[in-house]
Amino acid sequence: MPKKHGAKATSAAAIGNAVRVKPGFVLSDVDPRSTPGYAGSKKDSVGAMDASRAEIDDLQERLYAGGRDGDGPSVLLVLQGMDTAGKGGILRHVVGAVDPQGVSIHAFKVPTKEEREHPFLWRIRKQLPPPGNIGVFDRSHYEDVLVVRVHDLVPPKVWRRRYAEINSFEESCNDKGIHLVKVMLHISPQEQRARLAERLDRPDKYWKFNPGDIDEREHWGDYQEAYQAVLDKTSTDENPWHVVPADHKWYARLAVHQLLLDKLRELHAPWPPADFDVAEQQERLAAT
Ligand code: AMP
Ligand code: MG
């Protein structure tokens, strides 16, 4: 393989398997500063992403072309993580690098009054990516077993049955050709403190600061427990979770880039065949 930008030929190919949640997975055993499946440096990671950009473009265009007739697969990237885990950076640096045509991003906030009057998956279903698209959920249906569980927003017997509801919902997504890539960005409380401090230090970051984030820090342990339950109950063979250590932003970006690339490679959509007679059209064109 030719070397690019002087970067070592450091492969990111092993990341997907290294971050995939397997039976017996223990969240607290994952060091948020680690870089599983990757031996390169921050500088190498930039080279690695540059090196596969053309391939991602090609694969995304194939996906998009395949969806033009109203069926064909789509991809749904589900991003979860504590406040400041870096979801915004993933949107800008990873998702932002692919052709915006064919990408739809939706951020799920505190449910509106109307949304609360419906089952929790109602607002989620409305945002599923159409064929050929890459959808991104910045938070998701998982909030309904995370923040909701931590803050007792519904009775335990309600949130307890949601894990099974989520699994069957995701299977029904698969049946419609929607391929999920589920990612938890895993940061340490120390790193979160540093990121919040930065938001308070810099006027250009005030807009990102939410005093409520400090209240949520008080519940760190409860959130980790709620995440562990999510990983135990909703990481399936078809729709596995990936826990991406995120104290190093560069690693988290490389890992999500790689997970997206792996999924697009797996789908490797063929170019749709012409629905016209090519030779005939060439002749017509030549005659003009
Ligand atoms: P942010 O992503 O920082 O803009 O914040 C969005 C907020 O909406 C977070 O505090 C989430 O916990 C909250 N949120 C998202 N979904 C739900 C939900 N289903 N129930 C309650 N709060 C939610
Ligand atoms: Mg926030």
Side-chain angles (χ1 to χ4, degrees):
M1 241 183 140
K3 292 189 179 182
K4 279 203 149 186
H5 311 301
K8 277 180 283 172
T10 325
S11 171
I15 292 177
N17 187 47
V19 299
R20 187 172 313 115
V21 169
K22 300 165 189 90
F25 179 89
V26 178
L27 180 58
S28 58
D29 286 349
V30 178
D31 178 358
R33 296 186 59 77
S34 62
T35 60
Y38 192 66
S41 64
K42 177 177 180 175
K43 193 160 156 246
D44 298 330
S45 76
V46 176
M49 286 194 280
D50 284 347
S52 50
R53 199 135 283 151
E55 188 186 355
I56 286 221
D57 279 350
D58 175 73
L59 291 169
Q60 189 208 357
E61 198 178 348
R62 287 167 181 273
L63 182 75
Y64 187 73
R68 284 284 302 282
D69 65 357
D71 65 3
S74 61
V75 172
L76 175 58
L77 175 63
V78 173
L79 289 176
Q80 284 289 159
M82 299 293 285
D83 293 306
T84 76
K87 299 191 300 296
I90 298 289
L91 294 177
R92 276 192 305 283
H93 297 276
V94 180
V95 180
V98 299
D99 186 351
Q101 171 175 259
V103 174
S104 60
I105 298 173
H106 191 83
F108 290 95
K109 306 289 182 185
V110 176
T112 61
K113 183 171 178 294
E114 185 190 23
E115 287 170 346
R116 271 185 282 118
E117 282 162 4
H118 292 273
F120 76 105
L121 292 171
W122 180 76
R123 65 175 185 161
I124 307 292
R125 290 182 209 279
K126 291 202 295 184
Q127 303 298 338
L128 290 171
N133 277 56
I134 298 177
V136 185
F137 283 179
D138 170 353
R139 303 188 190 271
S140 64
H141 41 299
Y142 285 99
E143 290 294 324
D144 293 280
V145 286
L146 290 164
V147 65
V148 167
R149 167 175 166 154
V150 168
H151 290 286
D152 299 315
L153 302 181
V154 300
K157 78 179 215 309
V158 175
W159 59 252
R160 272 198 205 107
R161 62 173 181 250
R162 287 183 175 170
Y163 300 100
E165 287 171 20
I166 287 173
N167 287 339
S168 57
F169 165 68
E170 291 183 355
E171 277 169 36
S172 75
C173 290
N174 299 156
D175 293 342
K176 283 184 232 151
I178 302 170
H179 297 254
L180 280 80
V181 179
K182 303 194 292 192
V183 175
M184 177 204 180
L185 298 174
H186 181 45
I187 54 163
S188 65
Q190 296 78 13
E191 179 65 19
Q192 188 191 57
R193 176 195 292 277
R195 291 183 188 180
L196 289 173
E198 194 190 15
R199 290 180 181 183
L200 289 169
D201 273 346
R202 290 179 38 182
D204 64 321
K205 299 249 181 182
Y206 290 165
W207 67 276
K208 288 189 179 183
F209 184 79
N210 171 4
D213 294 351
I214 297 181
D215 302 318
E216 290 303 89
R217 270 176 73 73
E218 309 280 328
H219 301 281
W220 193 275
D222 296 337
Y223 271 106
Q224 299 303 299
E225 206 177 291
Y227 269 107
Q228 179 71 55
V230 160
L231 302 169
D232 288 341
K233 295 174 198 290
T234 66
S235 206
T236 63
D237 287 343
E238 299 75 27
N239 298 301
W241 272 99
H242 303 86
V243 171
V244 170
D247 275 10
H248 292 298
K249 288 179 181 171
W250 64 264
Y251 173 78
R253 289 168 193 172
L254 175 65
V256 179
H257 170 97
Q258 187 64 35
L259 289 169
L260 208 52
L261 178 61
D262 289 348
K263 183 56 79 182
L264 289 168
R265 279 180 178 161
E266 183 190 314
L267 296 177
H268 195 268
W271 292 110
D275 55 4
F276 47 83
D277 183 330
V278 177
E280 186 187 318
Q281 297 302 318
Q282 283 169 333
E283 264 175 48
R284 284 186 59 220
L285 180 63
T288 59

mmCIF file of all heavy atoms in Angstrom, residues 197-239:
data_model
loop_
_atom_site.group_PDB
_atom_site.id
_atom_site.type_symbol
_atom_site.label_atom_id
_atom_site.label_comp_id
_atom_site.label_asym_id
_atom_site.label_seq_id
_atom_site.Cartn_x
_atom_site.Cartn_y
_atom_site.Cartn_z
ATOM 1 N N ALA A 197 -15.207 22.627 31.746
ATOM 2 C CA ALA A 197 -14.403 23.776 32.179
ATOM 3 C C ALA A 197 -14.015 24.629 30.979
ATOM 4 O O ALA A 197 -14.050 25.858 31.033
ATOM 5 C CB ALA A 197 -13.151 23.295 32.920
ATOM 6 N N GLU A 198 -13.690 23.964 29.882
ATOM 7 C CA GLU A 198 -13.318 24.710 28.677
ATOM 8 C C GLU A 198 -14.496 25.537 28.169
ATOM 9 O O GLU A 198 -14.341 26.683 27.744
ATOM 10 C CB GLU A 198 -12.843 23.747 27.596
ATOM 11 C CG GLU A 198 -12.141 24.476 26.459
ATOM 12 C CD GLU A 198 -11.858 23.595 25.250
ATOM 13 O OE1 GLU A 198 -12.443 22.497 25.152
ATOM 14 O OE2 GLU A 198 -11.058 24.032 24.411
ATOM 15 N N ARG A 199 -15.690 24.952 28.258
ATOM 16 C CA ARG A 199 -16.875 25.676 27.800
ATOM 17 C C ARG A 199 -17.114 26.920 28.647
ATOM 18 O O ARG A 199 -17.686 27.899 28.172
ATOM 19 C CB ARG A 199 -18.112 24.768 27.842
ATOM 20 C CG ARG A 199 -18.054 23.691 26.788
ATOM 21 C CD ARG A 199 -19.250 22.773 26.789
ATOM 22 N NE ARG A 199 -19.068 21.752 25.752
ATOM 23 C CZ ARG A 199 -19.944 20.814 25.432
ATOM 24 N NH1 ARG A 199 -21.107 20.765 26.074
ATOM 25 N NH2 ARG A 199 -19.687 19.939 24.489
ATOM 26 N N LEU A 200 -16.693 26.850 29.920
ATOM 27 C CA LEU A 200 -16.880 27.995 30.818
ATOM 28 C C LEU A 200 -15.748 29.006 30.709
ATOM 29 O O LEU A 200 -15.856 30.131 31.184
ATOM 30 C CB LEU A 200 -17.007 27.505 32.262
ATOM 31 C CG LEU A 200 -18.322 26.784 32.570
ATOM 32 C CD1 LEU A 200 -18.265 26.102 33.935
ATOM 33 C CD2 LEU A 200 -19.495 27.764 32.518
ATOM 34 N N ASP A 201 -14.644 28.573 30.108
ATOM 35 C CA ASP A 201 -13.476 29.444 29.979
ATOM 36 C C ASP A 201 -13.508 30.282 28.724
ATOM 37 O O ASP A 201 -12.821 31.284 28.633
ATOM 38 C CB ASP A 201 -12.196 28.584 29.876
ATOM 39 C CG ASP A 201 -11.639 28.247 31.237
ATOM 40 O OD1 ASP A 201 -12.076 28.883 32.206
ATOM 41 O OD2 ASP A 201 -10.784 27.343 31.320
ATOM 42 N N ARG A 202 -14.242 29.795 27.734
ATOM 43 C CA ARG A 202 -14.139 30.437 26.415
ATOM 44 C C ARG A 202 -15.475 30.973 25.950
ATOM 45 O O ARG A 202 -16.429 30.220 25.739
ATOM 46 C CB ARG A 202 -13.626 29.398 25.404
ATOM 47 C CG ARG A 202 -12.175 29.037 25.662
ATOM 48 C CD ARG A 202 -11.647 28.010 24.707
ATOM 49 N NE ARG A 202 -12.129 28.164 23.323
ATOM 50 C CZ ARG A 202 -11.789 27.319 22.350
ATOM 51 N NH1 ARG A 202 -10.992 26.292 22.604
ATOM 52 N NH2 ARG A 202 -12.249 27.503 21.135
ATOM 53 N N PRO A 203 -15.535 32.309 25.715
ATOM 54 C CA PRO A 203 -16.785 32.901 25.240
ATOM 55 C C PRO A 203 -17.328 32.230 23.975
ATOM 56 O O PRO A 203 -18.548 32.155 23.801
ATOM 57 C CB PRO A 203 -16.400 34.360 24.955
ATOM 58 C CG PRO A 203 -15.225 34.621 25.846
ATOM 59 C CD PRO A 203 -14.486 33.326 25.957
ATOM 60 N N ASP A 204 -16.450 31.714 23.135
ATOM 61 C CA ASP A 204 -16.958 31.051 21.920
ATOM 62 C C ASP A 204 -17.507 29.656 22.214
ATOM 63 O O ASP A 204 -17.989 28.971 21.309
ATOM 64 C CB ASP A 204 -15.854 30.975 20.848
ATOM 65 C CG ASP A 204 -14.675 30.106 21.279
ATOM 66 O OD1 ASP A 204 -14.281 30.150 22.471
ATOM 67 O OD2 ASP A 204 -14.133 29.375 20.427
ATOM 68 N N LYS A 205 -17.448 29.243 23.483
ATOM 69 C CA LYS A 205 -17.988 27.919 23.845
ATOM 70 C C LYS A 205 -19.162 28.013 24.819
ATOM 71 O O LYS A 205 -19.769 26.983 25.156
ATOM 72 C CB LYS A 205 -16.887 27.046 24.484
ATOM 73 C CG LYS A 205 -15.710 26.767 23.574
ATOM 74 C CD LYS A 205 -15.664 25.316 23.150
ATOM 75 C CE LYS A 205 -14.462 25.057 22.256
ATOM 76 N NZ LYS A 205 -14.411 23.680 21.783
ATOM 77 N N TYR A 206 -19.458 29.231 25.282
ATOM 78 C CA TYR A 206 -20.561 29.376 26.244
ATOM 79 C C TYR A 206 -21.848 28.748 25.707
ATOM 80 O O TYR A 206 -22.618 28.141 26.448
ATOM 81 C CB TYR A 206 -20.862 30.850 26.548
ATOM 82 C CG TYR A 206 -19.810 31.590 27.349
ATOM 83 C CD1 TYR A 206 -19.832 32.990 27.401
ATOM 84 C CD2 TYR A 206 -18.809 30.919 28.057
ATOM 85 C CE1 TYR A 206 -18.876 33.696 28.121
ATOM 86 C CE2 TYR A 206 -17.856 31.623 28.774
ATOM 87 C CZ TYR A 206 -17.890 33.013 28.805
ATOM 88 O OH TYR A 206 -16.955 33.704 29.509
ATOM 89 N N TRP A 207 -22.081 28.914 24.417
ATOM 90 C CA TRP A 207 -23.341 28.443 23.837
ATOM 91 C C TRP A 207 -23.517 26.940 23.977
ATOM 92 O O TRP A 207 -24.629 26.431 23.950
ATOM 93 C CB TRP A 207 -23.437 28.871 22.372
ATOM 94 C CG TRP A 207 -22.428 28.184 21.478
ATOM 95 C CD1 TRP A 207 -21.131 28.546 21.276
ATOM 96 C CD2 TRP A 207 -22.637 27.017 20.679
ATOM 97 N NE1 TRP A 207 -20.506 27.682 20.414
ATOM 98 C CE2 TRP A 207 -21.410 26.736 20.023
ATOM 99 C CE3 TRP A 207 -23.723 26.175 20.439
ATOM 100 C CZ2 TRP A 207 -21.245 25.658 19.159
ATOM 101 C CZ3 TRP A 207 -23.559 25.098 19.581
ATOM 102 C CH2 TRP A 207 -22.337 24.843 18.952
ATOM 103 N N LYS A 208 -22.398 26.248 24.167
ATOM 104 C CA LYS A 208 -22.484 24.788 24.317
ATOM 105 C C LYS A 208 -22.744 24.390 25.764
ATOM 106 O O LYS A 208 -23.017 23.233 26.043
ATOM 107 C CB LYS A 208 -21.163 24.137 23.896
ATOM 108 C CG LYS A 208 -20.879 24.148 22.427
ATOM 109 C CD LYS A 208 -19.656 23.263 22.198
ATOM 110 C CE LYS A 208 -19.274 23.178 20.741
ATOM 111 N NZ LYS A 208 -18.134 22.268 20.575
ATOM 112 N N PHE A 209 -22.575 25.352 26.670
ATOM 113 C CA PHE A 209 -22.695 24.999 28.087
ATOM 114 C C PHE A 209 -24.154 25.007 28.525
ATOM 115 O O PHE A 209 -24.907 25.900 28.192
ATOM 116 C CB PHE A 209 -21.902 25.971 28.966
ATOM 117 C CG PHE A 209 -21.943 25.571 30.416
ATOM 118 C CD1 PHE A 209 -21.130 24.553 30.893
ATOM 119 C CD2 PHE A 209 -22.834 26.180 31.301
ATOM 120 C CE1 PHE A 209 -21.192 24.149 32.217
ATOM 121 C CE2 PHE A 209 -22.903 25.786 32.628
ATOM 122 C CZ PHE A 209 -22.077 24.763 33.100
ATOM 123 N N ASN A 210 -24.481 23.972 29.290
ATOM 124 C CA ASN A 210 -25.832 23.881 29.827
ATOM 125 C C ASN A 210 -25.677 23.580 31.319
ATOM 126 O O ASN A 210 -25.111 22.553 31.685
ATOM 127 C CB ASN A 210 -26.545 22.746 29.089
ATOM 128 C CG ASN A 210 -27.889 22.413 29.697
ATOM 129 O OD1 ASN A 210 -28.347 23.069 30.641
ATOM 130 N ND2 ASN A 210 -28.527 21.386 29.159
ATOM 131 N N PRO A 211 -26.155 24.505 32.192
ATOM 132 C CA PRO A 211 -25.976 24.263 33.631
ATOM 133 C C PRO A 211 -26.487 22.894 34.068
ATOM 134 O O PRO A 211 -25.952 22.294 35.001
ATOM 135 C CB PRO A 211 -26.795 25.391 34.272
ATOM 136 C CG PRO A 211 -26.815 26.475 33.236
ATOM 137 C CD PRO A 211 -26.824 25.779 31.905
ATOM 138 N N GLY A 212 -27.472 22.383 33.349
ATOM 139 C CA GLY A 212 -28.027 21.063 33.661
ATOM 140 C C GLY A 212 -26.992 19.949 33.522
ATOM 141 O O GLY A 212 -27.116 18.896 34.157
ATOM 142 N N ASP A 213 -25.969 20.180 32.691
ATOM 143 C CA ASP A 213 -24.939 19.152 32.512
ATOM 144 C C ASP A 213 -24.223 18.873 33.836
ATOM 145 O O ASP A 213 -23.778 17.741 34.086
ATOM 146 C CB ASP A 213 -23.911 19.572 31.453
ATOM 147 C CG ASP A 213 -24.523 19.656 30.048
ATOM 148 O OD1 ASP A 213 -25.690 19.233 29.880
ATOM 149 O OD2 ASP A 213 -23.835 20.144 29.130
ATOM 150 N N ILE A 214 -24.093 19.906 34.670
ATOM 151 C CA ILE A 214 -23.428 19.707 35.964
ATOM 152 C C ILE A 214 -24.326 18.876 36.888
ATOM 153 O O ILE A 214 -23.855 17.985 37.598
ATOM 154 C CB ILE A 214 -23.031 21.055 36.603
ATOM 155 C CG1 ILE A 214 -21.999 21.753 35.692
ATOM 156 C CG2 ILE A 214 -22.450 20.840 38.013
ATOM 157 C CD1 ILE A 214 -21.504 23.090 36.205
ATOM 158 N N ASP A 215 -25.642 19.133 36.815
ATOM 159 C CA ASP A 215 -26.568 18.295 37.600
ATOM 160 C C ASP A 215 -26.460 16.837 37.161
ATOM 161 O O ASP A 215 -26.454 15.925 37.992
ATOM 162 C CB ASP A 215 -28.019 18.775 37.412
ATOM 163 C CG ASP A 215 -28.185 20.238 37.815
ATOM 164 O OD1 ASP A 215 -27.616 20.618 38.848
ATOM 165 O OD2 ASP A 215 -28.865 20.993 37.088
ATOM 166 N N GLU A 216 -26.372 16.629 35.852
ATOM 167 C CA GLU A 216 -26.312 15.253 35.344
ATOM 168 C C GLU A 216 -25.037 14.539 35.794
ATOM 169 O O GLU A 216 -25.039 13.324 35.981
ATOM 170 C CB GLU A 216 -26.421 15.234 33.809
ATOM 171 C CG GLU A 216 -27.795 15.611 33.285
ATOM 172 C CD GLU A 216 -28.892 14.720 33.845
ATOM 173 O OE1 GLU A 216 -29.423 15.082 34.924
ATOM 174 O OE2 GLU A 216 -29.193 13.689 33.246
ATOM 175 N N ARG A 217 -23.960 15.302 35.988
ATOM 176 C CA ARG A 217 -22.709 14.694 36.479
ATOM 177 C C ARG A 217 -22.910 13.996 37.821
ATOM 178 O O ARG A 217 -22.244 13.009 38.120
ATOM 179 C CB ARG A 217 -21.616 15.768 36.640
ATOM 180 C CG ARG A 217 -20.776 16.004 35.433
ATOM 181 C CD ARG A 217 -19.789 17.134 35.658
ATOM 182 N NE ARG A 217 -18.670 16.813 36.542
ATOM 183 C CZ ARG A 217 -17.647 16.027 36.225
ATOM 184 N NH1 ARG A 217 -17.607 15.434 35.048
ATOM 185 N NH2 ARG A 217 -16.671 15.823 37.082
ATOM 186 N N GLU A 218 -23.836 14.538 38.611
ATOM 187 C CA GLU A 218 -24.125 13.936 39.921
ATOM 188 C C GLU A 218 -24.640 12.502 39.769
ATOM 189 O O GLU A 218 -24.613 11.722 40.707
ATOM 190 C CB GLU A 218 -25.210 14.740 40.664
ATOM 191 C CG GLU A 218 -24.951 16.235 40.746
ATOM 192 C CD GLU A 218 -23.959 16.580 41.844
ATOM 193 O OE1 GLU A 218 -23.945 15.859 42.857
ATOM 194 O OE2 GLU A 218 -23.191 17.551 41.647
ATOM 195 N N HIS A 219 -25.167 12.217 38.593
ATOM 196 C CA HIS A 219 -25.778 10.894 38.380
ATOM 197 C C HIS A 219 -24.874 9.983 37.549
ATOM 198 O O HIS A 219 -25.354 9.044 36.905
ATOM 199 C CB HIS A 219 -27.122 11.055 37.668
ATOM 200 C CG HIS A 219 -28.100 11.913 38.412
ATOM 201 N ND1 HIS A 219 -28.829 11.445 39.488
ATOM 202 C CD2 HIS A 219 -28.435 13.213 38.264
ATOM 203 C CE1 HIS A 219 -29.580 12.419 39.953
ATOM 204 N NE2 HIS A 219 -29.368 13.512 39.235
ATOM 205 N N TRP A 220 -23.583 10.307 37.530
ATOM 206 C CA TRP A 220 -22.663 9.573 36.650
ATOM 207 C C TRP A 220 -22.789 8.054 36.828
ATOM 208 O O TRP A 220 -22.940 7.302 35.864
ATOM 209 C CB TRP A 220 -21.219 10.011 36.915
ATOM 210 C CG TRP A 220 -20.293 9.544 35.846
ATOM 211 C CD1 TRP A 220 -19.675 8.326 35.763
ATOM 212 C CD2 TRP A 220 -19.907 10.285 34.676
ATOM 213 N NE1 TRP A 220 -18.918 8.260 34.625
ATOM 214 C CE2 TRP A 220 -19.040 9.448 33.939
ATOM 215 C CE3 TRP A 220 -20.206 11.564 34.191
ATOM 216 C CZ2 TRP A 220 -18.462 9.852 32.731
ATOM 217 C CZ3 TRP A 220 -19.632 11.961 32.996
ATOM 218 C CH2 TRP A 220 -18.775 11.107 32.289
ATOM 219 N N GLY A 221 -22.746 7.616 38.069
ATOM 220 C CA GLY A 221 -22.807 6.182 38.352
ATOM 221 C C GLY A 221 -24.104 5.548 37.855
ATOM 222 O O GLY A 221 -24.096 4.458 37.276
ATOM 223 N N ASP A 222 -25.205 6.262 38.060
ATOM 224 C CA ASP A 222 -26.505 5.741 37.600
ATOM 225 C C ASP A 222 -26.543 5.625 36.082
ATOM 226 O O ASP A 222 -27.112 4.686 35.520
ATOM 227 C CB ASP A 222 -27.645 6.666 38.041
ATOM 228 C CG ASP A 222 -27.788 6.727 39.558
ATOM 229 O OD1 ASP A 222 -27.332 5.769 40.233
ATOM 230 O OD2 ASP A 222 -28.336 7.726 40.061
ATOM 231 N N TYR A 223 -25.945 6.622 35.428
ATOM 232 C CA TYR A 223 -25.905 6.555 33.956
ATOM 233 C C TYR A 223 -25.057 5.383 33.478
ATOM 234 O O TYR A 223 -25.429 4.687 32.522
ATOM 235 C CB TYR A 223 -25.376 7.867 33.359
ATOM 236 C CG TYR A 223 -26.474 8.871 33.093
ATOM 237 C CD1 TYR A 223 -26.639 9.986 33.908
ATOM 238 C CD2 TYR A 223 -27.363 8.701 32.027
ATOM 239 C CE1 TYR A 223 -27.662 10.904 33.666
ATOM 240 C CE2 TYR A 223 -28.373 9.609 31.779
ATOM 241 C CZ TYR A 223 -28.520 10.716 32.600
ATOM 242 O OH TYR A 223 -29.534 11.605 32.363
ATOM 243 N N GLN A 224 -23.917 5.162 34.132
ATOM 244 C CA GLN A 224 -23.059 4.054 33.699
ATOM 245 C C GLN A 224 -23.811 2.731 33.863
ATOM 246 O O GLN A 224 -23.726 1.840 33.018
ATOM 247 C CB GLN A 224 -21.739 4.027 34.486
ATOM 248 C CG GLN A 224 -20.885 5.294 34.313
ATOM 249 C CD GLN A 224 -20.522 5.608 32.862
ATOM 250 O OE1 GLN A 224 -19.863 4.814 32.198
ATOM 251 N NE2 GLN A 224 -20.956 6.753 32.363
ATOM 252 N N GLU A 225 -24.580 2.650 34.954
ATOM 253 C CA GLU A 225 -25.382 1.448 35.195
ATOM 254 C C GLU A 225 -26.462 1.293 34.122
ATOM 255 O O GLU A 225 -26.708 0.203 33.604
ATOM 256 C CB GLU A 225 -26.045 1.601 36.565
ATOM 257 C CG GLU A 225 -26.386 0.328 37.274
ATOM 258 C CD GLU A 225 -26.958 0.668 38.659
ATOM 259 O OE1 GLU A 225 -26.194 1.154 39.530
ATOM 260 O OE2 GLU A 225 -28.172 0.473 38.844
ATOM 261 N N ALA A 226 -27.086 2.409 33.777
ATOM 262 C CA ALA A 226 -28.137 2.373 32.752
ATOM 263 C C ALA A 226 -27.541 2.021 31.382
ATOM 264 O O ALA A 226 -28.149 1.280 30.596
ATOM 265 C CB ALA A 226 -28.870 3.715 32.693
ATOM 266 N N TYR A 227 -26.341 2.543 31.101
ATOM 267 C CA TYR A 227 -25.671 2.171 29.838
ATOM 268 C C TYR A 227 -25.313 0.685 29.835
ATOM 269 O O TYR A 227 -25.479 0.005 28.825
ATOM 270 C CB TYR A 227 -24.413 3.026 29.601
ATOM 271 C CG TYR A 227 -24.701 4.280 28.803
ATOM 272 C CD1 TYR A 227 -24.709 5.536 29.399
ATOM 273 C CD2 TYR A 227 -24.975 4.201 27.435
ATOM 274 C CE1 TYR A 227 -24.984 6.688 28.660
ATOM 275 C CE2 TYR A 227 -25.247 5.334 26.681
ATOM 276 C CZ TYR A 227 -25.245 6.582 27.296
ATOM 277 O OH TYR A 227 -25.514 7.706 26.566
ATOM 278 N N GLN A 228 -24.817 0.199 30.963
ATOM 279 C CA GLN A 228 -24.473 -1.227 31.034
ATOM 280 C C GLN A 228 -25.716 -2.082 30.732
ATOM 281 O O GLN A 228 -25.621 -3.079 30.000
ATOM 282 C CB GLN A 228 -23.903 -1.576 32.415
ATOM 283 C CG GLN A 228 -23.541 -3.058 32.577
ATOM 284 C CD GLN A 228 -22.304 -3.461 31.771
ATOM 285 O OE1 GLN A 228 -21.239 -2.876 31.904
ATOM 286 N NE2 GLN A 228 -22.463 -4.476 30.916
ATOM 287 N N ALA A 229 -26.853 -1.687 31.274
ATOM 288 C CA ALA A 229 -28.087 -2.438 31.013
ATOM 289 C C ALA A 229 -28.435 -2.398 29.528
ATOM 290 O O ALA A 229 -28.847 -3.410 28.933
ATOM 291 C CB ALA A 229 -29.234 -1.882 31.858
ATOM 292 N N VAL A 230 -28.270 -1.233 28.906
ATOM 293 C CA VAL A 230 -28.525 -1.111 27.465
ATOM 294 C C VAL A 230 -27.624 -2.081 26.693
ATOM 295 O O VAL A 230 -28.079 -2.805 25.796
ATOM 296 C CB VAL A 230 -28.273 0.346 26.991
ATOM 297 C CG1 VAL A 230 -28.054 0.414 25.479
ATOM 298 C CG2 VAL A 230 -29.431 1.249 27.404
ATOM 299 N N LEU A 231 -26.349 -2.103 27.061
ATOM 300 C CA LEU A 231 -25.392 -2.948 26.332
ATOM 301 C C LEU A 231 -25.699 -4.429 26.557
ATOM 302 O O LEU A 231 -25.601 -5.242 25.643
ATOM 303 C CB LEU A 231 -23.959 -2.608 26.761
ATOM 304 C CG LEU A 231 -23.577 -1.130 26.535
ATOM 305 C CD1 LEU A 231 -22.250 -0.802 27.221
ATOM 306 C CD2 LEU A 231 -23.516 -0.795 25.051
ATOM 307 N N ASP A 232 -26.109 -4.764 27.783
ATOM 308 C CA ASP A 232 -26.454 -6.162 28.092
ATOM 309 C C ASP A 232 -27.693 -6.613 27.318
ATOM 310 O O ASP A 232 -27.758 -7.730 26.845
ATOM 311 C CB ASP A 232 -26.780 -6.318 29.594
ATOM 312 C CG ASP A 232 -25.542 -6.210 30.475
ATOM 313 O OD1 ASP A 232 -24.418 -6.377 29.961
ATOM 314 O OD2 ASP A 232 -25.717 -5.953 31.691
ATOM 315 N N LYS A 233 -28.677 -5.736 27.254
ATOM 316 C CA LYS A 233 -29.999 -6.170 26.775
ATOM 317 C C LYS A 233 -30.259 -5.881 25.308
ATOM 318 O O LYS A 233 -31.172 -6.466 24.717
ATOM 319 C CB LYS A 233 -31.100 -5.510 27.614
ATOM 320 C CG LYS A 233 -31.091 -5.962 29.076
ATOM 321 C CD LYS A 233 -32.115 -5.145 29.883
ATOM 322 C CE LYS A 233 -31.875 -5.223 31.361
ATOM 323 N NZ LYS A 233 -32.178 -6.553 31.917
ATOM 324 N N THR A 234 -29.525 -4.961 24.719
ATOM 325 C CA THR A 234 -29.866 -4.576 23.339
ATOM 326 C C THR A 234 -28.694 -4.716 22.369
ATOM 327 O O THR A 234 -28.770 -4.222 21.250
ATOM 328 C CB THR A 234 -30.405 -3.122 23.268
ATOM 329 O OG1 THR A 234 -29.349 -2.212 23.622
ATOM 330 C CG2 THR A 234 -31.596 -2.914 24.187
ATOM 331 N N SER A 235 -27.616 -5.356 22.809
ATOM 332 C CA SER A 235 -26.549 -5.643 21.853
ATOM 333 C C SER A 235 -26.817 -7.041 21.326
ATOM 334 O O SER A 235 -26.644 -8.021 22.038
ATOM 335 C CB SER A 235 -25.173 -5.561 22.528
ATOM 336 O OG SER A 235 -24.195 -5.240 21.567
ATOM 337 N N THR A 236 -27.291 -7.138 20.101
ATOM 338 C CA THR A 236 -27.683 -8.426 19.531
ATOM 339 C C THR A 236 -26.749 -8.754 18.363
ATOM 340 O O THR A 236 -25.979 -7.901 17.919
ATOM 341 C CB THR A 236 -29.143 -8.357 19.020
ATOM 342 O OG1 THR A 236 -29.209 -7.375 17.967
ATOM 343 C CG2 THR A 236 -30.100 -7.952 20.141
ATOM 344 N N ASP A 237 -26.836 -9.992 17.859
ATOM 345 C CA ASP A 237 -25.995 -10.348 16.708
ATOM 346 C C ASP A 237 -26.286 -9.438 15.525
ATOM 347 O O ASP A 237 -25.385 -9.008 14.808
ATOM 348 C CB ASP A 237 -26.249 -11.804 16.289
ATOM 349 C CG ASP A 237 -25.636 -12.772 17.285
ATOM 350 O OD1 ASP A 237 -24.774 -12.347 18.080
ATOM 351 O OD2 ASP A 237 -26.031 -13.961 17.277
ATOM 352 N N GLU A 238 -27.574 -9.139 15.329
ATOM 353 C CA GLU A 238 -27.972 -8.326 14.172
ATOM 354 C C GLU A 238 -27.630 -6.855 14.390
ATOM 355 O O GLU A 238 -27.259 -6.150 13.465
ATOM 356 C CB GLU A 238 -29.485 -8.435 13.914
ATOM 357 C CG GLU A 238 -29.995 -9.834 13.590
ATOM 358 C CD GLU A 238 -30.068 -10.745 14.813
ATOM 359 O OE1 GLU A 238 -30.228 -10.223 15.942
ATOM 360 O OE2 GLU A 238 -29.937 -11.970 14.649
ATOM 361 N N ASN A 239 -27.830 -6.382 15.608
ATOM 362 C CA ASN A 239 -27.669 -4.950 15.891
ATOM 363 C C ASN A 239 -26.786 -4.723 17.118
ATOM 364 O O ASN A 239 -27.254 -4.279 18.165
ATOM 365 C CB ASN A 239 -29.061 -4.311 16.090
ATOM 366 C CG ASN A 239 -29.923 -4.409 14.844
ATOM 367 O OD1 ASN A 239 -29.549 -3.901 13.784
ATOM 368 N ND2 ASN A 239 -31.059 -5.082 14.947
#
